[in-house]
Amino acid sequence: MFELGRELKRLFGAESAHLPKDGITGGDAALLELLDMKLLRDEGRSADVAAGRVGARDAAQRRLEAAVVWREVARRSGDSAALRKAAATAEMAADAFDQKKKPDAWARARAEQGFCALTGAELFGDPGLDAAAEVAFREARAAARGGLSAPLADIGLAAVQGRQLLAMGDASDAQRVADRFAAPIAALDALTRRVVAARGLAAEARLLRADLMCGFGVRLKDEVLLKVAVDDAACAARRLDPAYEPLTWARAEALRGQALTLWGECLGDLDAISAGATALASALDELSRDHSPLDWARAQLALAQTLQALGEASADERAFEQAVTCYDRAALVLKDAVTLPLRGQAAGARAVCLARSAELTGDLAVLDAAEAAMKIELAAARPGRDPVGWALAQLNLARLYEARLDITRRDRGERAAAVTALDAALEVFSEHGLRSLAVAAQEALDRVRAGGSREPRTAV
């Protein structure tokens, strides 16, 4: 699948000094998928040089192309500096375009600013960025006259509305959100013959809709919405050529696997969960860690959650062991991503996986091993250098203490130890403005302090 990308790396990667001054892709965003992370960063630097060259023609367009590259770098790596660079470059592009003479170009640049904000909200969990994205998309939509800019602005507005309704909307709200995507996706489909990038953008729009339907379906326990997500992801994958759009195809297949798992859990259908595991394994077979570290880590996490679901359904301890292995693989990428909430979610999910395995089997040795490993990690940690990583370890250690209390129903100091760990973690998360992790720590603290308020869990 990535053969052409490997050939490009062979030609240009070993001798980066011989890269074309304006990059490998010549501004064609559709070709970015074929570049691994090293070549992608080189492409971003080349685009910056081309945009800043004295006397360069179409400098504004070159800046827009550079912004697209740097946003993709951020999307694959979780690099906040790359995302800030993308947003600043898109702003410079918008300032350089004459809105009256080139309204569509200006709208495209403004929409790119909106997508930078959407990406930031997704990566870093900042809802304020969704509001900034909405303003950018509304301005882009008002200026757009045709081409890609109008459907892209509509897709951005639909995504923002979906995120706003996700926490409290009902099934009818979810359907309205899904319907808002229909017209702009059809418009992008109609442009595919004239604009090469339109096909990939249409697939990305379908994946945005599928991801939102997954979120609504999980919260509402609605199998219909989850099936819509499965079908959307499958449709996106079918319309792509894996030889030329390998990364978007892998993203679509991974999302299809994740949606199948959630749908199977909702229905209690073990076959659907198994199909989800197969789809995720297929995506990982074709997805390289060097090509897109963050996509690879997310697929590993999704496979881990699917294996956990299989373990829950079949009470198979081996499935939990395989899930822990997937979590550990994802940690290879996420361990240095201090600012990503995904890092904390993955570490917490791993601890929960170990705890749940112990609950199902009644085997406290699993918890003993997990606690010992976590204490070793804490002993080696340097809170001053990586306070967030240290706090995450405290949060996960508290989850293991909580699991032991649930299993044994005897408190031998675990409750006090859990409260101490959670207090420390909450203080760090609050200081660093990590709202989602602070909420998770506070909820766990309230639960532990309540002491025995939950129903006992029966070991299998």
Side-chain angles (χ1 to χ4, degrees):
M1 181 177 294
F2 288 96
E3 287 80 5
L4 182 54
R6 296 189 185 101
E7 184 67 10
L8 287 171
K9 185 176 181 180
R10 184 185 70 79
L11 291 172
F12 297 110
E15 301 180 10
S16 59
H18 299 295
L19 275 172
K21 290 183 179 180
D22 293 347
I24 299 172
T25 66
D28 186 351
L31 296 178
L32 295 177
E33 298 214 16
L34 301 173
L35 307 184
D36 67 8
M37 280 302 303
K38 180 182 181 305
L39 289 178
L40 188 66
R41 288 184 184 276
D42 288 342
E43 186 73 5
R45 296 185 190 101
S46 296
D48 287 340
V49 170
R53 191 177 296 127
V54 176
R57 300 182 63 183
D58 298 326
Q61 180 62 32
R62 295 301 178 90
R63 291 197 186 281
L64 177 56
E65 292 164 3
V68 172
V69 175
W70 286 115
R71 179 164 64 89
E72 182 63 13
V73 170
R75 191 179 177 193
R76 294 194 204 177
S77 65
D79 185 348
S80 59
L83 187 60
R84 287 195 297 270
K85 187 176 183 64
T89 305
E91 183 178 6
M92 286 190 288
D95 290 342
F97 281 121
D98 187 327
Q99 185 177 352
K100 293 182 179 179
K101 293 181 179 179
K102 294 185 176 181
D104 281 326
W106 182 88
R108 179 68 185 87
R110 195 72 178 102
E112 182 58 29
Q113 287 181 268
F115 281 113
C116 288
L118 275 186
T119 301
E122 179 185 358
L123 289 176
F124 308 113
D126 185 350
L129 291 174
D130 283 329
E134 183 175 14
V135 172
F137 288 130
R138 289 195 184 282
E139 291 181 359
R141 188 64 184 89
R145 297 292 181 269
L148 289 175
S149 54
L152 288 179
D154 286 337
I155 286 165
L157 288 170
V160 170
Q161 183 194 39
R163 291 183 182 184
Q164 290 170 342
L165 292 172
L166 193 55
M168 59 181 183
D170 57 18
S172 62
D173 292 323
Q175 188 57 56
R176 282 197 295 274
V177 169
D179 290 343
R180 285 198 66 172
F181 280 89
I185 288 175
L188 289 174
D189 285 338
L191 287 169
T192 54
R193 292 184 180 180
R194 293 190 292 111
V195 183
V196 175
R199 184 165 67 173
L201 293 170
E204 293 285 358
R206 286 186 171 91
L207 296 182
L208 267 174
R209 180 169 61 183
D211 188 52
L212 286 168
M213 293 306 103
C214 272
F216 277 109
V218 168
R219 186 177 65 80
L220 299 171
K221 302 295 187 290
D222 190 320
E223 63 189 67
V224 174
L225 294 176
L226 291 170
K227 185 61 168 63
V228 168
V230 172
D231 293 342
D232 248 352
C235 180
R238 281 196 308 271
R239 288 170 173 262
L240 295 167
D241 185 342
Y244 295 97
E245 296 144 320
L247 187 52
T248 305
W249 181 91
R251 286 167 176 163
E253 195 66 5
L255 183 53
R256 184 176 74 88
Q258 192 173 16
L260 275 169
T261 298
L262 295 170
W263 184 53
E265 286 185 291
C266 187
L267 292 173
D269 186 343
L270 191 58
D271 289 339
I273 299 174
S274 297
T278 300
L280 286 161
S282 297
L284 280 166
D285 283 343
E286 303 296 343
L287 186 59
S288 165
R289 176 181 162 193
D290 292 334
H291 199 88
S292 180
L294 203 53
D295 284 298
W296 183 83
R298 281 177 169 148
Q300 291 287 355
L301 293 177
L303 182 56
Q305 290 161 355
T306 298
L307 290 167
Q308 274 184 255
L310 288 172
E312 291 277 6
S314 61
D316 185 354
E317 187 179 355
R318 289 174 299 177
F320 286 98
E321 292 173 358
Q322 293 168 342
V324 171
T325 300
C326 290
Y327 284 126
D328 290 341
R329 288 173 183 160
L332 295 173
V333 171
L334 299 175
K335 64 182 179 181
D336 297 322
V338 178
T339 58
L340 295 186
L342 185 64
R343 177 194 179 190
Q345 294 163 11
R350 181 185 185 276
V352 169
C353 181
L354 287 168
R356 189 61 181 137
S357 176
E359 289 170 341
L360 287 171
T361 61
D363 185 1
L364 292 177
V366 174
L367 285 181
D368 292 338
E371 286 178 25
M374 197 64 66
K375 288 175 180 177
I376 291 172
E377 181 180 340
L378 278 167
R382 298 183 179 181
R385 177 175 295 179
D386 183 11
V388 175
W390 177 83
L392 283 170
Q394 294 284 5
L395 176 63
N396 296 327
L397 181 60
R399 283 174 171 157
L400 296 174
Y401 286 141
E402 187 180 4
R404 186 179 294 277
L405 286 168
D406 281 350
I407 294 171
T408 64
R409 290 299 173 184
R410 287 180 294 178
D411 183 3
R412 296 180 176 178
E414 289 89 356
R415 193 178 307 281
V419 168
T420 300
L422 289 168
D423 274 333
L426 181 59
E427 182 178 355
V428 172
F429 296 148
S430 299
E431 285 178 357
H432 286 76
L434 301 172
R435 287 187 290 273
S436 60
L437 290 174
V439 169
Q442 185 62 60
E443 288 176 350
L445 189 59
D446 293 341
R447 196 166 56 238
V448 170
R449 282 175 171 164
S453 61
R454 293 188 299 178
E455 292 297 320
R457 292 171 175 169
T458 304
V460 175

